[in-house]
Amino acid sequence: MLRRKHSEIKRQLLDQTVVSGIGNIYADEALWRAKINGARLAEKLTRRQLIALLEAAAEVMRDALSQGGTSFDSLYVNVNGQSGYFDRSLNVYGREGKPCRRCGAVIRREKFMNRSSFYCPRDQPRPRG
Ligand SMILES: [Zn+2]
């Protein structure tokens, strides 16, 4: 389904009619883990890349749930109404100007659909053109 989409992969990840439950923070984290820039067109990614990306998204959500979710996302408030502390272990989201935990390059932030996208310019190069 994703490979038939002529739009950015991050937009597809956030589209609840395509994949359910992935928010902005988790999308950035999953894209970082899979080393894919969110601005790349879904249809230009290989089947292998897309599978890796979906696996990364599942992993990010598993990690988040086991740690109580992110404090930014009201969906992940625990039964006591407290927000989680997954934000402490975010690899890319909210880390503009800090070194990438994988390669040391400086994390960048860009505007995306009235929100922000965070990515590593070395691991996740922007698409050309
Ligand atoms: Zn990096």
Short mmCIF file of all heavy atoms in Angstrom, two decimals, residues 49-103:
data_model
loop_
_atom_site.label_atom_id
_atom_site.label_comp_id
_atom_site.label_asym_id
_atom_site.label_seq_id
_atom_site.Cartn_x
_atom_site.Cartn_y
_atom_site.Cartn_z
N GLN A 49 13.17 -1.53 2.54
CA GLN A 49 13.22 -0.31 3.36
C GLN A 49 11.91 -0.08 4.09
O GLN A 49 11.90 0.32 5.26
CB GLN A 49 13.52 0.92 2.48
CG GLN A 49 14.97 1.02 2.06
CD GLN A 49 15.19 2.19 1.11
OE1 GLN A 49 14.47 2.35 0.13
NE2 GLN A 49 16.18 3.01 1.41
N LEU A 50 10.81 -0.33 3.40
CA LEU A 50 9.50 -0.11 4.02
C LEU A 50 9.25 -1.10 5.15
O LEU A 50 8.73 -0.74 6.21
CB LEU A 50 8.38 -0.21 2.97
CG LEU A 50 8.35 0.98 1.99
CD1 LEU A 50 7.41 0.68 0.84
CD2 LEU A 50 7.93 2.26 2.71
N ILE A 51 9.66 -2.34 4.95
CA ILE A 51 9.50 -3.34 6.01
C ILE A 51 10.36 -2.94 7.21
O ILE A 51 9.90 -2.98 8.36
CB ILE A 51 9.86 -4.75 5.49
CG1 ILE A 51 8.76 -5.21 4.52
CG2 ILE A 51 10.02 -5.74 6.64
CD1 ILE A 51 9.11 -6.44 3.72
N ALA A 52 11.59 -2.52 6.95
CA ALA A 52 12.49 -2.09 8.04
C ALA A 52 11.87 -0.91 8.79
O ALA A 52 11.93 -0.83 10.02
CB ALA A 52 13.85 -1.70 7.48
N LEU A 53 11.25 -0.02 8.05
CA LEU A 53 10.63 1.16 8.66
C LEU A 53 9.44 0.77 9.54
O LEU A 53 9.31 1.26 10.67
CB LEU A 53 10.18 2.13 7.56
CG LEU A 53 9.47 3.40 8.02
CD1 LEU A 53 10.37 4.21 8.95
CD2 LEU A 53 9.07 4.23 6.81
N LEU A 54 8.60 -0.11 9.06
CA LEU A 54 7.44 -0.52 9.85
C LEU A 54 7.89 -1.30 11.10
O LEU A 54 7.30 -1.17 12.17
CB LEU A 54 6.47 -1.34 9.00
CG LEU A 54 5.77 -0.53 7.89
CD1 LEU A 54 4.92 -1.42 7.01
CD2 LEU A 54 4.91 0.58 8.49
N GLU A 55 8.94 -2.10 10.93
CA GLU A 55 9.48 -2.82 12.09
C GLU A 55 10.04 -1.83 13.12
O GLU A 55 9.86 -2.00 14.32
CB GLU A 55 10.55 -3.83 11.67
CG GLU A 55 9.93 -5.11 11.14
CD GLU A 55 10.93 -6.06 10.50
OE1 GLU A 55 12.13 -5.71 10.40
OE2 GLU A 55 10.49 -7.15 10.07
N ALA A 56 10.72 -0.81 12.61
CA ALA A 56 11.28 0.22 13.50
C ALA A 56 10.17 0.94 14.25
O ALA A 56 10.28 1.22 15.44
CB ALA A 56 12.12 1.22 12.70
N ALA A 57 9.06 1.22 13.55
CA ALA A 57 7.94 1.91 14.19
C ALA A 57 7.35 1.05 15.30
O ALA A 57 7.05 1.55 16.40
CB ALA A 57 6.87 2.25 13.15
N ALA A 58 7.21 -0.24 15.05
CA ALA A 58 6.68 -1.14 16.06
C ALA A 58 7.62 -1.20 17.27
O ALA A 58 7.18 -1.18 18.42
CB ALA A 58 6.49 -2.54 15.46
N GLU A 59 8.92 -1.23 16.98
CA GLU A 59 9.95 -1.26 18.02
C GLU A 59 9.89 0.00 18.89
O GLU A 59 9.94 -0.07 20.12
CB GLU A 59 11.30 -1.26 17.32
CG GLU A 59 12.30 -2.28 17.76
CD GLU A 59 13.51 -2.18 16.84
OE1 GLU A 59 14.25 -1.17 16.90
OE2 GLU A 59 13.67 -3.11 16.03
N VAL A 60 9.79 1.15 18.23
CA VAL A 60 9.72 2.43 18.95
C VAL A 60 8.51 2.44 19.88
O VAL A 60 8.60 2.84 21.04
CB VAL A 60 9.64 3.63 17.96
CG1 VAL A 60 9.30 4.92 18.68
CG2 VAL A 60 10.95 3.78 17.21
N MET A 61 7.38 1.97 19.36
CA MET A 61 6.17 1.99 20.19
C MET A 61 6.27 1.00 21.34
O MET A 61 5.82 1.28 22.45
CB MET A 61 4.93 1.76 19.33
CG MET A 61 4.62 3.02 18.52
SD MET A 61 3.00 3.03 17.74
CE MET A 61 3.37 2.12 16.27
N ARG A 62 6.88 -0.16 21.09
CA ARG A 62 7.09 -1.13 22.17
C ARG A 62 7.97 -0.53 23.26
O ARG A 62 7.68 -0.61 24.44
CB ARG A 62 7.76 -2.41 21.64
CG ARG A 62 6.79 -3.53 21.34
CD ARG A 62 7.51 -4.87 21.21
NE ARG A 62 8.60 -4.87 20.23
CZ ARG A 62 8.42 -5.09 18.92
NH1 ARG A 62 7.23 -5.32 18.43
NH2 ARG A 62 9.45 -5.07 18.10
N ASP A 63 9.08 0.10 22.84
CA ASP A 63 10.00 0.73 23.80
C ASP A 63 9.28 1.82 24.59
O ASP A 63 9.44 1.93 25.80
CB ASP A 63 11.20 1.36 23.08
CG ASP A 63 12.15 0.32 22.51
OD1 ASP A 63 11.92 -0.89 22.76
OD2 ASP A 63 13.10 0.73 21.82
N ALA A 64 8.48 2.61 23.86
CA ALA A 64 7.79 3.72 24.51
C ALA A 64 6.81 3.20 25.56
O ALA A 64 6.74 3.71 26.67
CB ALA A 64 7.05 4.56 23.47
N LEU A 65 6.06 2.18 25.17
CA LEU A 65 5.07 1.64 26.11
C LEU A 65 5.74 1.04 27.33
O LEU A 65 5.28 1.22 28.46
CB LEU A 65 4.19 0.58 25.41
CG LEU A 65 3.17 1.17 24.44
CD1 LEU A 65 2.48 0.06 23.67
CD2 LEU A 65 2.15 2.03 25.17
N SER A 66 6.86 0.36 27.12
CA SER A 66 7.53 -0.27 28.25
C SER A 66 8.12 0.79 29.19
O SER A 66 8.36 0.54 30.36
CB SER A 66 8.61 -1.24 27.78
OG SER A 66 9.69 -0.53 27.22
N GLN A 67 8.33 2.00 28.66
CA GLN A 67 8.89 3.07 29.49
C GLN A 67 7.86 4.11 29.89
O GLN A 67 8.18 5.12 30.49
CB GLN A 67 10.03 3.77 28.75
CG GLN A 67 11.24 2.86 28.55
CD GLN A 67 12.32 3.57 27.77
OE1 GLN A 67 12.75 4.64 28.15
NE2 GLN A 67 12.75 2.97 26.68
N GLY A 68 6.62 3.88 29.52
CA GLY A 68 5.56 4.79 29.94
C GLY A 68 5.13 5.83 28.93
O GLY A 68 4.34 6.70 29.24
N GLY A 69 5.64 5.76 27.70
CA GLY A 69 5.22 6.70 26.66
C GLY A 69 5.93 8.03 26.74
O GLY A 69 6.74 8.27 27.63
N THR A 70 5.64 8.91 25.79
CA THR A 70 6.28 10.23 25.84
C THR A 70 5.40 11.22 26.58
O THR A 70 4.19 11.16 26.51
CB THR A 70 6.53 10.83 24.44
OG1 THR A 70 5.31 11.34 23.95
CG2 THR A 70 7.13 9.84 23.49
N SER A 71 6.03 12.15 27.22
CA SER A 71 5.28 13.15 27.97
C SER A 71 4.58 14.13 27.05
O SER A 71 3.72 14.89 27.47
CB SER A 71 6.21 13.91 28.91
OG SER A 71 7.26 14.48 28.17
N PHE A 72 4.93 14.15 25.74
CA PHE A 72 4.32 15.08 24.80
C PHE A 72 2.97 14.57 24.32
O PHE A 72 2.19 15.30 23.76
CB PHE A 72 5.19 15.26 23.55
CG PHE A 72 6.62 15.53 23.85
CD1 PHE A 72 7.57 14.54 23.70
CD2 PHE A 72 7.01 16.78 24.29
CE1 PHE A 72 8.89 14.80 23.98
CE2 PHE A 72 8.33 17.05 24.56
CZ PHE A 72 9.27 16.05 24.40
N ASP A 73 2.75 13.30 24.47
CA ASP A 73 1.62 12.69 23.79
C ASP A 73 0.57 12.23 24.79
O ASP A 73 0.76 11.28 25.51
CB ASP A 73 2.16 11.51 22.98
CG ASP A 73 1.17 11.09 21.92
OD1 ASP A 73 -0.04 11.29 22.12
OD2 ASP A 73 1.61 10.55 20.89
N SER A 74 -0.56 12.93 24.80
CA SER A 74 -1.57 12.63 25.80
C SER A 74 -2.16 11.23 25.62
O SER A 74 -2.76 10.68 26.55
CB SER A 74 -2.69 13.65 25.75
OG SER A 74 -3.24 13.68 24.46
N LEU A 75 -1.96 10.66 24.43
CA LEU A 75 -2.43 9.28 24.20
C LEU A 75 -1.73 8.31 25.15
O LEU A 75 -2.24 7.25 25.45
CB LEU A 75 -2.06 8.83 22.78
CG LEU A 75 -3.07 9.02 21.69
CD1 LEU A 75 -2.47 8.56 20.37
CD2 LEU A 75 -4.33 8.24 21.99
N TYR A 76 -0.53 8.68 25.58
CA TYR A 76 0.27 7.75 26.34
C TYR A 76 0.41 8.12 27.82
O TYR A 76 1.38 7.80 28.47
CB TYR A 76 1.65 7.57 25.67
CG TYR A 76 1.48 6.92 24.32
CD1 TYR A 76 1.40 7.69 23.18
CD2 TYR A 76 1.32 5.54 24.21
CE1 TYR A 76 1.18 7.10 21.93
CE2 TYR A 76 1.11 4.94 22.98
CZ TYR A 76 1.05 5.74 21.85
OH TYR A 76 0.83 5.15 20.63
N VAL A 77 -0.59 8.79 28.31
CA VAL A 77 -0.64 9.06 29.74
C VAL A 77 -0.99 7.73 30.44
O VAL A 77 -1.83 6.97 29.95
CB VAL A 77 -1.71 10.14 30.04
CG1 VAL A 77 -2.00 10.24 31.52
CG2 VAL A 77 -1.25 11.49 29.50
N ASN A 78 -0.36 7.44 31.54
CA ASN A 78 -0.62 6.16 32.19
C ASN A 78 -1.91 6.18 33.02
O ASN A 78 -2.60 7.19 33.10
CB ASN A 78 0.59 5.70 33.03
CG ASN A 78 0.80 6.53 34.28
OD1 ASN A 78 -0.12 7.22 34.74
ND2 ASN A 78 1.99 6.48 34.82
N VAL A 79 -2.25 5.06 33.64
CA VAL A 79 -3.52 4.95 34.35
C VAL A 79 -3.64 5.93 35.52
O VAL A 79 -4.73 6.27 35.95
CB VAL A 79 -3.79 3.51 34.88
CG1 VAL A 79 -4.07 2.58 33.72
CG2 VAL A 79 -2.65 3.01 35.73
N ASN A 80 -2.51 6.42 36.02
CA ASN A 80 -2.54 7.40 37.09
C ASN A 80 -2.60 8.84 36.57
O ASN A 80 -2.51 9.78 37.34
CB ASN A 80 -1.31 7.25 37.99
CG ASN A 80 -1.23 5.87 38.61
OD1 ASN A 80 -2.23 5.35 39.09
ND2 ASN A 80 -0.05 5.27 38.57
N GLY A 81 -2.71 8.98 35.24
CA GLY A 81 -2.79 10.31 34.65
C GLY A 81 -1.43 10.99 34.53
O GLY A 81 -1.33 12.17 34.18
N GLN A 82 -0.36 10.26 34.81
CA GLN A 82 0.98 10.85 34.67
C GLN A 82 1.50 10.60 33.26
O GLN A 82 1.22 9.55 32.68
CB GLN A 82 1.95 10.20 35.68
CG GLN A 82 1.58 10.46 37.11
CD GLN A 82 2.22 9.45 38.04
OE1 GLN A 82 2.35 8.27 37.73
NE2 GLN A 82 2.62 9.93 39.21
N SER A 83 2.26 11.56 32.75
CA SER A 83 2.84 11.33 31.43
C SER A 83 4.10 10.48 31.59
O SER A 83 4.67 10.38 32.67
CB SER A 83 3.14 12.65 30.75
OG SER A 83 4.01 13.40 31.55
N GLY A 84 4.51 9.92 30.49
CA GLY A 84 5.65 9.00 30.54
C GLY A 84 6.99 9.69 30.53
O GLY A 84 7.08 10.90 30.51
N TYR A 85 8.02 8.92 30.47
CA TYR A 85 9.36 9.51 30.47
C TYR A 85 10.20 8.94 29.33
O TYR A 85 11.41 8.93 29.37
CB TYR A 85 10.06 9.31 31.81
CG TYR A 85 9.72 8.02 32.51
CD1 TYR A 85 10.44 6.86 32.23
CD2 TYR A 85 8.70 7.97 33.45
CE1 TYR A 85 10.13 5.68 32.88
CE2 TYR A 85 8.37 6.79 34.09
CZ TYR A 85 9.09 5.63 33.80
OH TYR A 85 8.77 4.48 34.43
N PHE A 86 9.52 8.48 28.28
CA PHE A 86 10.21 7.98 27.09
C PHE A 86 11.03 9.08 26.43
O PHE A 86 12.02 8.81 25.77
CB PHE A 86 9.19 7.42 26.11
CG PHE A 86 9.76 6.82 24.86
CD1 PHE A 86 10.63 5.73 24.92
CD2 PHE A 86 9.43 7.32 23.62
CE1 PHE A 86 11.13 5.16 23.77
CE2 PHE A 86 9.92 6.76 22.46
CZ PHE A 86 10.78 5.68 22.54
N ASP A 87 10.62 10.35 26.62
CA ASP A 87 11.33 11.45 25.98
C ASP A 87 12.81 11.48 26.34
O ASP A 87 13.63 11.95 25.59
CB ASP A 87 10.67 12.80 26.31
CG ASP A 87 10.49 13.03 27.79
OD1 ASP A 87 9.88 12.16 28.44
OD2 ASP A 87 10.97 14.04 28.29
N ARG A 88 13.15 10.97 27.50
CA ARG A 88 14.57 10.92 27.89
C ARG A 88 15.38 10.01 26.97
O ARG A 88 16.57 10.16 26.85
CB ARG A 88 14.71 10.39 29.31
CG ARG A 88 14.43 11.46 30.33
CD ARG A 88 14.79 10.93 31.71
NE ARG A 88 13.83 11.43 32.68
CZ ARG A 88 13.33 10.73 33.66
NH1 ARG A 88 13.69 9.48 33.84
NH2 ARG A 88 12.47 11.26 34.49
N SER A 89 14.72 9.03 26.39
CA SER A 89 15.49 8.12 25.54
C SER A 89 15.19 8.31 24.06
O SER A 89 15.48 7.44 23.26
CB SER A 89 15.22 6.67 25.96
OG SER A 89 13.84 6.41 25.91
N LEU A 90 14.65 9.45 23.69
CA LEU A 90 14.44 9.72 22.27
C LEU A 90 15.80 9.90 21.59
O LEU A 90 16.69 10.53 22.14
CB LEU A 90 13.58 10.97 22.07
CG LEU A 90 12.13 10.85 22.56
CD1 LEU A 90 11.41 12.19 22.42
CD2 LEU A 90 11.38 9.76 21.81
N ASN A 91 15.94 9.33 20.40
CA ASN A 91 17.22 9.41 19.70
C ASN A 91 17.35 10.63 18.81
O ASN A 91 18.44 11.10 18.55
CB ASN A 91 17.42 8.15 18.86
CG ASN A 91 17.77 6.96 19.71
OD1 ASN A 91 18.71 7.02 20.51
ND2 ASN A 91 17.02 5.88 19.57
N VAL A 92 16.22 11.12 18.31
CA VAL A 92 16.32 12.21 17.35
C VAL A 92 15.31 13.33 17.64
O VAL A 92 15.64 14.50 17.49
CB VAL A 92 16.21 11.65 15.89
CG1 VAL A 92 14.80 11.13 15.59
CG2 VAL A 92 16.60 12.69 14.87
N TYR A 93 14.11 12.98 18.05
CA TYR A 93 13.08 14.00 18.26
C TYR A 93 13.49 14.96 19.38
O TYR A 93 13.92 14.53 20.46
CB TYR A 93 11.74 13.35 18.61
CG TYR A 93 10.62 14.37 18.59
CD1 TYR A 93 9.90 14.62 17.43
CD2 TYR A 93 10.33 15.12 19.73
CE1 TYR A 93 8.92 15.59 17.39
CE2 TYR A 93 9.34 16.10 19.70
CZ TYR A 93 8.64 16.32 18.54
OH TYR A 93 7.68 17.29 18.51
N GLY A 94 13.39 16.27 19.10
CA GLY A 94 13.73 17.27 20.10
C GLY A 94 15.23 17.46 20.32
O GLY A 94 15.64 18.16 21.24
N ARG A 95 16.05 16.87 19.45
CA ARG A 95 17.50 16.94 19.66
C ARG A 95 18.22 17.82 18.63
O ARG A 95 19.40 17.62 18.36
CB ARG A 95 18.10 15.53 19.68
CG ARG A 95 17.48 14.63 20.77
CD ARG A 95 18.28 13.34 21.00
NE ARG A 95 19.57 13.63 21.59
CZ ARG A 95 20.73 13.40 20.97
NH1 ARG A 95 20.77 12.87 19.78
NH2 ARG A 95 21.86 13.71 21.58
N GLU A 96 17.54 18.81 18.10
CA GLU A 96 18.16 19.73 17.13
C GLU A 96 19.46 20.30 17.69
O GLU A 96 19.51 20.74 18.84
CB GLU A 96 17.19 20.88 16.83
CG GLU A 96 17.73 21.86 15.80
CD GLU A 96 16.81 23.07 15.64
OE1 GLU A 96 15.98 23.34 16.54
OE2 GLU A 96 16.92 23.75 14.62
N GLY A 97 20.51 20.28 16.86
CA GLY A 97 21.79 20.87 17.27
C GLY A 97 22.65 19.94 18.11
O GLY A 97 23.80 20.25 18.40
N LYS A 98 22.08 18.80 18.50
CA LYS A 98 22.87 17.84 19.29
C LYS A 98 23.42 16.76 18.37
O LYS A 98 22.90 16.53 17.28
CB LYS A 98 21.97 17.21 20.36
CG LYS A 98 21.55 18.22 21.40
CD LYS A 98 20.73 17.58 22.49
CE LYS A 98 20.35 18.65 23.52
NZ LYS A 98 19.14 18.29 24.26
N PRO A 99 24.48 16.08 18.81
CA PRO A 99 25.06 15.05 17.95
C PRO A 99 24.18 13.80 17.83
O PRO A 99 23.56 13.38 18.81
CB PRO A 99 26.39 14.71 18.63
CG PRO A 99 26.23 15.13 20.04
CD PRO A 99 25.25 16.27 20.05
N CYS A 100 24.12 13.25 16.64
CA CYS A 100 23.41 11.99 16.41
C CYS A 100 24.05 10.90 17.27
O CYS A 100 25.27 10.80 17.33
CB CYS A 100 23.53 11.63 14.92
SG CYS A 100 22.93 9.98 14.51
N ARG A 101 23.21 10.11 17.94
CA ARG A 101 23.74 9.07 18.82
C ARG A 101 24.38 7.93 18.05
O ARG A 101 25.07 7.09 18.61
CB ARG A 101 22.62 8.52 19.70
CG ARG A 101 22.18 9.55 20.71
CD ARG A 101 21.30 8.96 21.80
NE ARG A 101 21.11 10.00 22.82
CZ ARG A 101 19.94 10.32 23.34
NH1 ARG A 101 18.85 9.65 23.01
NH2 ARG A 101 19.85 11.28 24.23
N ARG A 102 24.16 7.89 16.75
CA ARG A 102 24.73 6.81 15.94
C ARG A 102 26.01 7.26 15.23
O ARG A 102 26.99 6.55 15.22
CB ARG A 102 23.69 6.33 14.93
CG ARG A 102 24.04 5.07 14.19
CD ARG A 102 22.80 4.48 13.53
NE ARG A 102 22.06 5.51 12.83
CZ ARG A 102 20.73 5.46 12.63
NH1 ARG A 102 20.03 4.44 13.03
NH2 ARG A 102 20.12 6.46 12.01
N CYS A 103 26.00 8.47 14.65
CA CYS A 103 27.14 8.86 13.82
C CYS A 103 27.78 10.18 14.24
O CYS A 103 28.84 10.54 13.73
CB CYS A 103 26.73 8.93 12.35
SG CYS A 103 25.77 10.41 11.96
#
